[in-house]
Amino acid sequence: MNRNYREAADYLASRICARPATAVILGSGLGALADLIADRTVIPFGEIPHFVRSTAAGHSGNLVFGTLGGREVLAMQGRFHYYEGYTMQEVTFPVRVMKLLGVQNLLVSNAAGGINDTFNTGDLMIIRDHINMLPNPLIGRNDAAFGTRFPDMTRAYDRELIRRAEAIAAARGIAVKKGVYVGLTGPSFETPAEYAFYGRAGGDAIGMSTVPEVIVARHAGMRVFGMSVITNEGYHFADDYVNDGSDVIAAAGRAAAKMTAIFSELVGTMDSL
């Protein structure tokens, strides 16, 4: 095992004095959930050994520990992206550190463009599967301390967690979609032809993150739940249509309360898995 993982985990263990079973990664404009964490300890990424810095808009760049839904939780306010110039090992480094801290369940979120023409801006999509168009983070020598050389991705997104999230949403009267997330490198937004292509390939929403972390989490044996906030409609293009990063963050922020409600209650059910 690369000793950098252990050094980062040991540092965090000295700061949080606990072994949370659940971690959450919060995407663009979705960091508000971390504000609901009680008794929180906030650790900037820059203070954690071997963590890189988040340079993307809408990512605060903090690790937050505390309680959510009555359970101890570790939350990343922001994440690292391949398009920032980081290697896949740097992008996914926090996930393996989480594993060393005892994390068993990983909840991931992102802002995504809708390519399913039944999706509208502001919708929530539970990720049931993904299409990976990013470099696979497991390329290279396998680290057997974390997992097997050829991890199964048949059920990358845990079916029981999906079932629970759907039940929580229904009980709260929150409409949710379910679909396939396509992960691309970015940083350019997709062309109309690319939106159409990935829609025909089976995608429902498209973005620039999430899949690498999910692959590494599944390699390490974690249960994973994922949700996208649909921030634009990539299936009809008026003459004045423009994809804009600030609009994406604003749309994610408007839908964040609904996602936060589902995540908070879902975390509270983790002890019964």
Side-chain angles (χ1 to χ4, degrees), residues 175-193:
V176 292
K177 309 286 190 177
K178 191 159 60 174
V180 176
Y181 176 84
V182 183
L184 301 183
T185 64
S188 56
F189 286 114
E190 298 74 30
T191 67

Side-chain angles (χ1 to χ4, degrees), residues 6 8 14 42 55 60-61 64 70-71 73 103 129 132 139-141 152 157 169 234 241 249 256-257 260 270:
R6 176 54 61 189
S14 73
V42 179
T55 66
S60 299
V64 182
R71 303 288 183 268
V73 68
V103 170
D129 205 348
N132 183 32
I139 291 173
R141 181 175 296 178
D152 179 42
Y157 301 86
Y241 180 92
I249 294 168
T260 295
M270 291 301 184

Side-chain angles (χ1 to χ4, degrees), residues 164-175:
R164 292 185 184 193
E166 288 178 312
I168 290 166
R172 288 178 169 266
I174 299 173

Side-chain angles (χ1 to χ4, degrees), residues 23-27 30-31 34 37 45 51 59 61-64 74-80 91 93-95 98 106 109 213:
V24 184
I25 298 177
L26 299 166
L30 299 171
I37 295 175
F45 290 159
F51 268 50
H59 292 252
N62 296 313
L63 199 69
V64 182
L74 195 63
M76 286 183 68
Q77 269 187 311
R79 54 157 53 92
F80 311 130
V91 168
F93 183 88
V95 177
M98 291 170 182
L106 180 64
S109 68
E213 297 137 320

